[in-house]
């Protein structure tokens, strides 16, 4: 019995010890959770503050920086268009087109005016307008009459513009280096060599500058070719199956064409034939009679004397007539 009591006594003490350890662990975990919760809340506040600072442009929060959007490279596009418009009065429509282009800040280029057999005028004019007013002027020209034909083209030359600008910068630096070397040169041969090199590079630089100017002009001003006509454009008739009359007309046309070409060929050969005939006539009438005649060849001789000439064979005797036999 004593042994059992000695065994049972430590049980309450062990239970109390375990309970104290559990309480201690519970308090530590609660403290950790509280501190962790406060830290996470602080972190969330900081994150929220940083996000709001970045999202709001010009924010004054600590650590918040507004990022500017990247700048897009300017595009260089050559715009060209061609219009064919039927109007009632060509001079009046042309004056309106000139006025509209000049008001837009452009100018009128080449102009060609023709008049057909019936007295109708046709005008073709090249207009240069700023790119900003290109669409506006194009719409105004289309509405000046009945639009018969329209074509537009846009060519992107940004790469060419950038390449030319880069080459110009490099070429200018090269020319500057050559000039510095010329200032330091002391020998006449070096000065002559550097002058030749400077002239070559200066010519290349001027060529690049001219190309840059041309690209700038073509990209800053759009080109519109306007054709004004008082008569409509005649459409080709639909082709039907050919008949006898069509075949005869085609054959007659081919025959006339052949005669025409033969006449052209004869006219081309006639001067040469006339000159050749004149030369032959002069040869026969003037030159040939005056040429010395060659003497007859002498009979060939041998050591025994000249060879006898051949005698003609005697003619055979004809038989007498029947009355002459007596």
């Amino acid at each position: 019995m004593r042994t059992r009591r000695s065994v049972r006594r430590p049980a309450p003490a062990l239970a109390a010890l375990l309970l104290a350890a559990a309480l201690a662990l519970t308090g530590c975990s609660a403290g950790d959770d509280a501190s962790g919760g406060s830290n996470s809340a602080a972190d969330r506040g900081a994150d929220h503050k940083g996000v709001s600072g970045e999202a709001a442009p010009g924010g004054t929060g600590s650590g918040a920086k507004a990022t500017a959007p990247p700048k897009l490279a300017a595009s260089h596009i050559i715009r060209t268009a061609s219009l064919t418009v039927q109007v009632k009065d060509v001079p009046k429509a042309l004056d309106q087109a000139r006025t509209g282009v000049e008001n837009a800040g452009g100018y009128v280029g080449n102009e060609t005016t023709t008049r057909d057999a019936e007295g109708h005028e046709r005008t073709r004019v090249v207009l240069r307008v700023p790119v900003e007013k290109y669409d506006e002027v194009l719409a105004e020209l289309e509405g000046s009459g009945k639009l018969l034909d329209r074509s537009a083209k846009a060519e992107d030359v940004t790469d060419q513009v950038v390449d030319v600008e880069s080459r110009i910068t490099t070429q200018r630096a090269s020319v500057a280096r050559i000039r510095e070397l010329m200032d330091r040169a002391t020998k006449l041969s070096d000065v002559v060599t550097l002058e030749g090199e400077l002239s070559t590079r200066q010519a290349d630089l001027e060529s690049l500058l001219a190309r840059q100017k041309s690209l700038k002009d073509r990209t800053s001003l759009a080109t519109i070719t306007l054709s004004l006509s008082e008569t409509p454009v005649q459409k080709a008739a639909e082709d039907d199956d050919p008949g006898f009359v069509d075949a005869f007309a085609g054959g007659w046309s081919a025959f006339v064409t052949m005669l025409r070409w033969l006449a052209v060929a004869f006219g081309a050969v006639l001067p040469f034939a006339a000159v050749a005939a004149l030369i032959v006539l002069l040869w026969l009438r003037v030159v040939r009679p005056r040429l010395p005649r060659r003497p007859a060849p002498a009979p060939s001789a041998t050591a025994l004397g000249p060879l006898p000439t051949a005698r003609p064979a005697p003619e055979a005797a004809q038989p007498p007539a029947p009355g002459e036999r007596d």
Side-chain angles (χ1 to χ4, degrees):
M1 295 300 292
R2 290 180 182 178
T3 305
R4 291 179 180 176
R5 288 178 182 178
S6 61
V7 175
R8 291 178 181 177
R9 286 179 182 177
L14 181 60
L17 181 60
L18 292 176
L19 181 59
L23 293 174
L25 291 175
T26 304
C28 292
S29 61
D32 294 338
D33 293 340
S35 62
S38 61
N39 291 334
S40 61
D43 293 338
R44 285 195 301 270
D47 293 342
H48 177 70
K49 191 175 183 180
V51 172
S52 62
E54 292 179 357
T60 58
S62 60
K65 295 182 180 180
T67 57
K71 295 183 179 180
L72 298 177
S75 59
H76 301 272
I77 300 176
I78 299 176
R79 299 185 181 275
T80 56
S82 177
L83 296 177
T84 302
V85 182
Q86 179 186 354
V87 295
K88 296 181 180 180
D89 190 355
V90 171
K92 182 178 179 181
L94 183 60
D95 292 339
Q96 293 178 356
R98 288 177 177 173
T99 304
V101 170
E102 292 175 356
N103 292 336
Y107 64 92
V108 179
N110 299 332
E111 179 182 343
T112 304
T113 301
T114 58
R115 188 183 297 271
D116 58 9
E118 299 178 357
H120 300 293
E121 290 187 3
R122 294 182 180 179
T123 300
R124 182 178 180 273
V125 62
V126 178
L127 308 174
R128 303 297 305 280
V129 297
V131 177
E132 297 79 9
K133 301 289 184 177
Y134 170 73
D135 296 330
E136 180 181 349
V137 174
L138 196 62
E140 182 179 354
L141 294 176
E142 291 178 359
S144 61
K146 182 180 179 182
L147 182 62
L148 302 179
D149 187 18
R150 179 184 185 275
S151 62
K153 181 180 178 182
E155 181 183 0
D156 190 355
V157 292
T158 305
D159 295 340
Q160 298 182 24
V161 172
V162 173
D163 179 67
V164 170
E165 291 178 353
S166 175
R167 293 173 62 183
I168 287 175
T169 303
T170 304
Q171 198 68 19
R172 282 176 174 170
S174 178
V175 170
R177 286 196 299 269
I178 294 297
R179 288 178 176 174
E180 291 178 0
L181 292 176
M182 287 184 62
D183 295 339
R184 299 176 184 177
T186 56
K187 296 182 180 180
L188 180 61
S189 59
D190 296 341
V191 173
V192 172
T193 303
L194 291 173
E195 283 182 352
E197 189 67 22
L198 178 62
S199 177
T200 302
R201 300 191 182 188
Q202 190 71 28
D204 294 340
L205 177 59
E206 292 177 357
S207 176
L208 291 172
L209 290 174
R211 185 178 178 186
Q212 183 188 39
K213 183 179 179 181
S214 176
L215 288 173
K216 183 178 180 180
D217 177 71
R218 296 167 62 191
T219 53
S220 60
L221 295 176
T223 304
I224 301 176
T225 303
L226 177 64
S227 299
L228 300 174
S229 175
E230 295 180 356
T231 57
V233 179
Q234 297 180 357
K235 297 182 179 180
E238 297 181 356
D239 295 333
D240 298 330
D241 295 335
F244 174 78
V245 177
D246 296 333
F248 179 77
W252 178 257
S253 178
F255 178 71
V256 172
T257 303
M258 182 189 67
L259 292 180
R260 187 183 296 112
W261 281 109
L262 289 177
V264 171
F266 178 74
V269 175
L270 185 59
F272 300 96
V275 173
L278 181 61
I279 292 174
V280 172
L281 183 61
L282 291 175
W283 172 264
L284 294 177
R285 295 296 180 86
V286 179
V287 179
R288 187 175 180 180
R290 295 183 179 181
L291 293 177
R293 297 183 179 180
R294 296 181 180 179
S300 59
T302 60
L304 299 178
L307 293 177
T309 58
R311 296 180 179 180
E315 296 180 357
Q318 297 180 355
E324 295 179 354
R325 290 180 181 178
D326 299 337

